[in-house]
């Protein structure tokens, strides 16, 4: 710098000393400047004061020469000390050149700038608050400075500024929040530490309500929570913990809706600490805000459901997620099924636009595990909208999320169970709205029956049973799910020639009017058709889980309806081999399952028109399997007809499988189910056809263990003459059951012969195809 240049009122000696490389000489010059400025203050000569500050700023602090810049900084600090309480009038001119030096490449100069600003702020105290944002901005940069001396100096200045803010009641929080929101996304550890320390300070000041602006900084806080530094993570945990305490104390003043989507995003974080903390917040939000959180249910479920299948390594997250799931489920009430858009109930800030909602739905439908739409929001700030909307259940979004998680084969068992519980809960609470989604849900619910977990299958069956029996699923005739104009049979359905809603071709009135068979809705028959189709396409499912599924359905629904409808469908089944296998399975369940005790008693006596109608319906389908048909006659005590059937066995093709089934029937006769049949062998005179039928079975069997078993049983039949009593003259007439004449056994026998002829023809066709195939292999 040219020392000859006129820089009055600064003397040439002061100018030379300010530009000296020695700190001591610059300090002496600063003392001279302080003395000079004090004189101007005493004279109230503001123009000269401004002139001195301008010279120190333009000619020294912003000079190209490093020693001049150092002199300018110490000179500006000296001016501030001299001005004392009046320094507030000149703060802009004092602070700006100092902050400019914060960006200097020389670390020593940055340190001197920090020192100068410390002295300026120390003198001005509360007067610096209008300039807080520029001071904070400069400090946030110094906090990440690589030089330890600069960092140490900035920490001193930082503490001083925090003291000033803490003791003042004039802090402009509204003006500061945009800067805080911007700086909170810094990736530098020291800058993050600086930000968190300020949030903790502002949180501790009673007059500053930072909770109102939490939606603007919450996302940044969760990102800082994932920092590699344990110290920073701990500080962030403390800050979030303090905010959560405030939320619990003053829930009425919290903007829950504006923070819901932020929590949804971080509940899906890969970092365990972030995910656990966000999930804990979500738990509190659901419990504190209640139905305000309902519009965000689909997002919450997207975040929560996968956590339910975590193993013990993430046990804490799993437990909190489970509480969130249960609490959210409780928010759905029956009124949601009746709520009309025209009836306002409770209002919350508006959700994202329809375009955003659509993109979210598409993301879920595309199978994205994360809410991709969320990552596009920059910054993640949801301003409080003036528009108000009613709290309604976004059922479409919820069902879409549940459908996605149930369809994903990689999802864990507990998540699938939770999804099924949700669907069941929604069908209970909001059946009218849920039945709009039934057609789309039905295929995936049927596929879930093939799940590896018994518990999942149980929940699935409960849900399907609720769908099949709910009054809300009842549709008007001609407009049901089976009406050709509304629903076309898909690949997962059996093709039934007759109208799908029609049951047995004979005497259907008996079933419809029966008090023991509650009316099923339009989906019941569809369920039965698709279930049998499932068994037909997946024989392994039928073998391993068929009996389990049907038995559970008999507990959940009316057993008579199930057997009646399945028998009616199987009567029209074109795959005769499957029909025979299915009939055998149903017959085994009917004869052995404790769940069907009441149905067996109903069939055993055939006292009512409904029971006789059911017998005829079962009989027609049971004809697909000769041995099961005989067992049904034994169950219903139609011994003469059983004998007539066995007589027809001579015309059938006797195979190893056929003899195996006869063997099993003999074993079954020895079981408790047929105790009444064995006791009737004592009454030889009134049960001649029972004995003949059993002898018929004996003659069919080869010399095997079953032959020996039945032979020994028949040897125990007493001599009829020994069993005669004086009062048995009318026994033969008293045993005859009323109503048996209503059943046309001749027609049933003809139907049996017709069905068996079809089976014989089908077996010959299969054998012919197999023979042709063998010939081709030989050639």
């Amino acid at each position: 710098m040219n020392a000859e240049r006129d820089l009055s009122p600064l003397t040439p000696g002061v100018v030379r000393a300010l530009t000296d490389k020695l700190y001591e000489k610059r300090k002496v010059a600063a003392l001279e400047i302080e003395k000079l400025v004090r004189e101007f203050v005493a004279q109230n000569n503001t123009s000269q004061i401004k002139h001195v500050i301008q010279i120190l700023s333009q000619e020294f602090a912003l000079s190209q020469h490093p020693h001049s810049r150092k002199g300018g900084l110490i000179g500006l600090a000296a001016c501030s000390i001299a001005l004392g309480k009046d320094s507030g009038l000149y703060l802009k001119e004092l602070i700006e050149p100092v902050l400019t030096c914060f960006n200097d490449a020389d670390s020593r100069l940055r340190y001197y700038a920090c020192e100068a600003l410390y002295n300026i702020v120390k003198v001005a105290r509360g007067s610096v608050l209008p300039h807080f944002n520029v001071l904070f901005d400069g400090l946030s940069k110094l906090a990440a400075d690589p030089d330890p001396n600069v960092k140490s100096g900035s920490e001193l200045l930082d503490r001083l500024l925090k003291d000033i803010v803490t003791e003042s009641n004039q802090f402009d929080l509204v003006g500061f929040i945009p800067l805080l929101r911007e700086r909170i996304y810094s990736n530098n550890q020291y800058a993050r530490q600086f930000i968190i320390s300020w949030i903790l300070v502002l949180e501790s000041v009673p007059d500053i309500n930072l909770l109102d602006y939490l939606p603007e900084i919450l996302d940044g806080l969760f990102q800082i929570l994932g920092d590699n530094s344990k110290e920073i993570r701990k500080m962030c945990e403390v800050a979030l913990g303090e905010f959560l305490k405030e939320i619990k104390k003053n829930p009425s003043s919290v903007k829950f809706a504006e923070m819901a989507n932020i929590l949804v995003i971080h509940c899906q974080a890969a970092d365990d600490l972030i995910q656990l903390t966000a999930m804990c917040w979500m738990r509190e939000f659901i419990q504190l805000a209640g139905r305000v959180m309902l519009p965000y249910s689909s997002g919450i479920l997207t975040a929560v459901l996968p956590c339910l299948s975590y193993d013990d390594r993430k046990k804490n997250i799993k437990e909190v997620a489970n509480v969130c799931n249960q609490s959210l489920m409780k928010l759905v009430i029956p009124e949601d099924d009746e709520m009309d858009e025209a009836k306002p109930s409770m209002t919350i800030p508006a959700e994202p636009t329809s375009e955003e909602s659509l993109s979210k739905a598409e993301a879920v439908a595309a199978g994205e595990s994360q809410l991709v739409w969320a990552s596009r929001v920059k910054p993640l700030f949801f301003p409080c909208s003036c528009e108000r909307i009613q709290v309604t259940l976004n059922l479409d979004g919820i069902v879409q999320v549940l459908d996605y998680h149930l369809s994903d084969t990689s999802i864990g068992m507990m998540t699938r169970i939770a999804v099924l519980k949700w669907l069941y809960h929604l069908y209970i609470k909001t059946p009218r709205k849920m039945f709009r989604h039934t057609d789309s849900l039905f295929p995936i619910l049927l596929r879930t029956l093939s799940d590896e977990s018994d518990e999942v299958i149980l929940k699935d069956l409960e849900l399907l049973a609720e769908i099949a029996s709910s009054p809300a699923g009842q549709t008007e005739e001609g407009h049901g799910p089976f009406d050709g104009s509304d629903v076309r049979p898909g690949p997962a359905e059996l093709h039934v020639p007759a109208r799908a809603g029609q049951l047995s071709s004979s005497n259907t009135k008996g079933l419809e009017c029966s008090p023991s068979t509650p009316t099923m809705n339009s989906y019941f028959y569809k369920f039965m058709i698709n279930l049998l189709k499932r068994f037909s396409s997946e024989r392994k499912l039928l073998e391993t889980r068929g009996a389990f599924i049907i038995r559970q359905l008999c507990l959940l629904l009316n057993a008579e309806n199930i057997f009646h409808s399945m028998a009616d469908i199987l009567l029209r089944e074109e795959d005769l081999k499957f029909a025979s296998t299915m009939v055998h399975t149903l017959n085994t369940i009917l004869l052995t399952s404790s769940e069907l005790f009441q149905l067996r008693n109903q069939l055993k006596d055939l006292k009512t028109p409904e029971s006789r109608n059911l017998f005829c319906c079962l009989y027609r389908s049971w004809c697909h399997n000769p041995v099961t048909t005989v067992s049904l006659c034994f169950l219903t005590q139609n011994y003469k007809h059983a004998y007539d059937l066995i007589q027809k066995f001579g015309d059938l093709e006797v195979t190893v499988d056929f003899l195996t089934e006869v063997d099993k029937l003999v074993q079954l006769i020895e079981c408790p189910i047929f105790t009444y049949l064995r006791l009737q062998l004592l009454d030889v005179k009134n049960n001649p056809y029972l004995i003949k039928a059993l002898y018929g079975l004996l003659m069919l069997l080869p010399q095997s263990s079953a032959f020996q078993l039945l032979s020994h049983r028949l040897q125990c039949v007493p001599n009829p003459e020994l069993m005669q009593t004086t009062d048995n003259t009318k026994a033969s007439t008293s045993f005859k059951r009323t109503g048996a004449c209503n059943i046309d056994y001749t027609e049933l026998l003809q139907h049996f012969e017709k069905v068996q002829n079809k089976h014989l023809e089908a077996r010959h066709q299969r054998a012919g195809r197999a023979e042709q195939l063998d010939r081709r292999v030989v050639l």
Side-chain angles (χ1 to χ4, degrees):
M1 178 179 290
N2 187 1
E4 301 299 324
R5 188 176 173 186
D6 183 19
L7 295 174
S8 58
L10 299 183
T11 63
V14 170
V15 171
R16 281 194 300 273
L18 276 179
T19 59
D20 199 281
K21 64 179 180 179
L22 294 176
Y23 172 75
E24 292 300 328
K25 289 189 177 181
R26 295 197 301 273
K27 187 176 181 181
V28 171
L31 291 173
E32 288 296 324
I33 293 171
E34 181 182 344
K35 182 180 178 182
L36 179 65
V37 173
R38 286 186 188 278
E39 291 175 3
F40 290 148
V41 171
Q43 298 167 9
N44 199 22
N45 192 343
T46 56
S47 61
Q48 284 289 58
I49 294 172
K50 287 182 178 179
H51 187 50
V52 170
I53 294 173
Q54 185 180 6
I55 292 172
L56 291 170
S57 173
Q58 300 297 325
E59 302 298 331
F60 290 89
L62 301 178
S63 170
Q64 297 298 318
H65 195 277
H67 296 312
S68 296
R69 293 200 294 275
K70 293 174 185 176
L73 290 170
I74 196 170
L76 289 170
C79 287
S80 178
I81 292 169
L83 287 167
K85 63 180 182 179
D86 293 333
S87 64
L89 301 172
Y90 309 94
L91 275 177
K92 188 175 185 297
E93 293 82 2
L94 289 169
I95 289 173
E96 284 185 355
V98 178
L99 289 174
T100 303
C101 292
F102 276 10
N103 300 318
D104 201 284
D106 187 351
S107 61
R108 290 297 298 168
L109 208 140
R110 294 197 302 275
Y111 175 79
Y112 287 132
C114 193
E115 184 181 54
L117 190 58
Y118 178 87
N119 288 318
I120 294 170
V121 172
K122 187 176 181 181
V123 172
R125 301 295 295 182
S127 300
V128 301
L129 289 179
H131 307 277
F132 178 80
N133 278 14
V134 291
L135 294 173
F136 182 88
D137 185 48
L139 269 176
S140 66
K141 295 172 183 175
L142 287 187
D145 198 285
D147 188 272
N149 291 324
V150 176
K151 198 179 296 180
S152 177
S154 70
E155 288 172 0
L156 287 172
L157 176 57
D158 182 49
R159 283 198 291 271
L160 174 62
L161 203 55
K162 284 173 180 171
D163 289 341
I164 294 170
V165 170
T166 303
E167 65 190 24
S168 172
N169 58 0
Q170 297 178 349
F171 182 71
D172 182 13
L173 185 61
V174 176
F176 172 60
I177 286 297
L179 179 62
L180 179 62
R181 187 175 67 240
E182 177 191 340
R183 292 302 161 124
I184 204 169
Y185 286 102
S186 172
N187 290 324
N188 184 279
Q189 287 189 352
Y190 298 106
R192 285 179 162 184
Q193 194 169 14
F194 172 77
I195 294 290
I196 293 295
S197 67
W198 268 101
I199 290 174
L200 286 168
V201 167
L202 295 175
E203 216 173 349
S204 66
V205 180
D207 294 333
I208 297 176
N209 187 13
L210 197 56
L211 194 62
D212 284 346
Y213 303 92
L214 182 57
E216 302 193 40
I217 62 172
L218 185 62
D219 178 65
L221 283 172
F222 273 107
Q223 292 200 22
I224 293 176
L225 191 60
D227 196 275
N228 294 327
S229 168
K230 289 184 179 180
E231 184 181 355
I232 294 174
R233 289 165 77 100
K234 188 63 181 175
M235 286 178 66
C236 194
E237 268 193 279
V238 172
L240 286 167
E242 290 299 320
F243 275 123
L244 197 55
K245 286 180 184 176
E246 284 295 314
I247 289 171
K248 290 179 181 178
K249 287 180 184 177
N250 306 295
S252 59
S253 61
V254 179
K255 299 171 182 176
F256 290 105
E258 293 181 25
M259 294 183 278
N261 282 329
I262 298 173
L263 293 182
V264 165
I265 295 161
H266 293 290
C267 281
Q268 301 171 81
D271 184 283
D272 288 355
L273 180 59
I274 295 177
Q275 190 177 28
L276 176 60
T277 306
M279 201 67 74
C280 289
W281 275 62
M282 185 67 79
R283 176 189 63 195
E284 299 300 332
F285 271 39
I286 295 171
Q287 293 176 353
L288 293 171
R291 287 177 59 83
V292 171
M293 300 296 288
L294 266 186
Y296 306 92
S297 298
S298 57
I300 295 171
L301 287 173
T302 301
V304 167
L305 288 173
C307 301
L308 301 178
S309 293
Y310 283 172
D311 55 26
D312 288 342
R313 288 174 294 178
K314 294 186 177 183
K315 185 179 178 181
N316 292 340
I317 298 174
K318 179 180 178 179
E319 289 175 352
V320 179
N322 188 50
V323 175
C324 289
N325 183 55
Q326 297 296 328
S327 301
L328 187 65
M329 194 181 290
K330 291 176 183 176
L331 298 180
V332 182
I333 54 177
E335 285 72 13
D336 288 317
D337 203 32
E338 304 164 3
M339 198 173 290
D340 196 345
E341 293 180 3
K343 298 178 183 176
S345 56
M346 187 177 175
T347 60
I348 62 165
E351 267 200 290
T353 63
S354 59
E355 289 81 9
E356 291 172 355
S357 299
L358 182 62
S359 64
K360 285 185 279 182
E362 289 170 350
V364 174
E368 299 176 18
S369 59
Q370 297 286 336
L371 292 180
V372 176
W373 53 270
S375 62
R376 304 185 189 126
V377 184
K378 296 292 183 181
L380 284 167
F381 166 53
F382 303 89
C384 183
S385 173
C386 295
E387 182 187 359
R388 312 293 283 183
I389 62 170
Q390 67 179 31
V391 174
T392 53
L393 187 67
N394 179 18
L395 202 60
D396 292 350
I398 293 175
V399 171
Q400 195 171 34
V401 171
L402 295 174
D403 187 297
Y404 164 70
H405 283 87
L406 197 59
S407 303
D408 189 352
T409 54
S410 63
I411 294 293
M413 179 189 74
M414 296 309 297
T415 297
R416 296 198 299 278
I417 291 172
V419 168
L420 293 167
K421 285 182 177 179
W422 256 103
L423 289 170
Y424 182 81
H425 182 73
L426 291 173
Y427 271 104
I428 294 294
K429 297 295 182 181
T430 60
R432 185 174 59 85
K433 289 183 178 179
M434 275 303 295
F435 267 96
R436 300 170 190 169
H437 302 276
T438 301
D439 286 336
S440 62
L441 286 171
F442 223 74
I444 181 60
L445 294 178
L446 287 165
R447 286 199 297 273
T448 305
L449 291 174
S450 302
D451 198 276
E452 296 177 356
S453 166
D454 285 350
E455 195 171 351
V456 171
I457 294 176
L458 277 173
K459 292 299 175 186
D460 193 31
L461 289 171
E462 284 180 19
L463 175 56
L464 286 165
E466 177 60 30
I467 293 172
S469 60
S470 173
Q474 190 64 51
T475 56
E476 295 180 10
E477 189 174 355
H479 298 281
F482 309 106
D483 184 43
S485 60
D486 293 331
V487 176
R488 295 175 179 84
E493 294 182 330
L494 282 172
H495 296 279
V496 182
R499 182 175 66 86
Q502 181 181 8
L503 288 178
S504 178
S505 57
S506 62
N507 300 328
T508 54
K509 288 182 180 180
L511 176 65
E512 291 169 356
C513 301
S514 171
S516 65
T517 54
T519 305
M520 298 290 107
N521 65 30
S522 307
Y523 284 94
F524 173 78
Y525 204 82
K526 181 179 182 181
F527 177 29
M528 294 297 107
I529 291 174
N530 284 276
L531 179 59
L532 288 175
K533 180 62 179 176
R534 196 82 188 163
F535 287 147
S536 178
S537 60
E538 289 188 39
R539 297 299 172 88
K540 187 177 179 182
L541 176 65
L542 176 60
E543 292 170 8
T544 58
R545 298 282 181 76
F548 171 73
I549 290 172
I550 295 170
R551 287 174 63 183
Q552 291 302 319
L553 284 176
C554 289
L555 288 173
L556 296 165
L557 295 169
N558 183 272
E560 183 178 339
N561 280 348
I562 291 170
F563 272 79
H564 204 304
S565 58
M566 283 191 170
D568 187 63
I569 296 164
L570 288 170
L571 185 61
R572 300 165 174 84
E573 175 57 49
E574 295 176 1
D575 185 347
L576 298 181
K577 189 174 181 181
F578 166 69
S580 177
T581 304
M582 194 66 221
V583 163
H584 177 74
T585 302
L586 289 171
N587 186 66
T588 304
I589 296 168
L590 176 63
L591 294 179
T592 61
S593 297
S594 58
E595 295 87 351
L596 296 177
F597 174 77
Q598 187 175 353
L599 186 60
R600 282 196 297 273
N601 280 346
Q602 188 178 342
L603 285 168
K604 186 169 69 175
D605 297 328
L606 295 180
K607 290 180 179 179
T608 63
E610 293 78 27
S611 62
R612 291 192 290 274
N613 175 54
L614 177 61
F615 166 72
C616 290
C617 179
L618 294 180
Y619 182 96
R620 293 176 186 281
S621 289
W622 263 228
C623 286
H624 283 296
N625 191 308
V627 180
T628 58
T629 313
V630 171
S631 66
L632 179 65
C633 291
F634 281 160
L635 175 66
T636 55
Q637 303 183 67
N638 283 302
Y639 302 133
K640 183 181 185 305
H641 192 69
Y643 172 70
D644 292 339
L645 283 172
I646 293 171
Q647 289 292 306
K648 295 290 181 182
F649 284 5
D651 301 329
L652 302 180
E653 184 179 7
V654 178
T655 63
V656 175
D657 290 338
F658 176 85
L659 293 175
T660 302
E661 290 193 24
V662 175
D663 188 299
K664 290 179 180 178
L665 177 57
V666 171
Q667 303 289 341
L668 203 58
I669 290 171
E670 296 298 321
C671 291
I673 296 295
F674 282 113
T675 299
Y676 68 92
L677 181 146
R678 297 194 301 273
L679 288 173
Q680 286 174 1
L681 290 173
L682 295 173
D683 190 359
V684 179
K685 188 174 183 179
N686 288 323
N687 295 294
Y689 288 105
L690 170 59
I691 298 171
K692 286 184 177 183
L694 292 177
Y695 269 110
L697 291 178
L698 187 68
M699 295 305 133
L700 285 171
L701 286 168
Q703 297 284 331
S704 62
S705 58
F707 177 90
Q708 298 296 330
L709 186 66
L710 184 55
S711 176
H712 290 157
R713 173 63 64 185
L714 290 171
Q715 288 173 13
C716 297
V717 175
N719 187 324
E721 294 182 1
L722 296 176
M723 300 298 292
Q724 282 185 357
T725 58
T726 55
D727 58 346
N728 68 345
T729 53
K730 296 183 181 179
S732 58
T733 56
S734 63
F735 180 76
K736 290 181 181 178
R737 289 177 297 170
T738 58
C741 56
N742 294 338
I743 299 175
D744 187 350
Y745 288 104
T746 303
E747 190 270 334
L748 290 179
L749 197 60
Q750 290 171 354
H751 176 76
F752 173 81
E753 291 175 345
K754 181 180 176 182
V755 172
Q756 285 305 308
N757 286 334
K758 285 184 180 179
H759 276 269
L760 182 61
E761 184 180 344
R763 277 197 296 271
H764 288 168
Q765 288 176 356
R766 287 197 297 270
R769 285 196 295 269
E771 188 177 344
Q772 288 178 4
L773 185 62
D774 290 341
R775 286 176 182 173
R776 288 176 187 173
V777 171
V778 171
L779 291 174

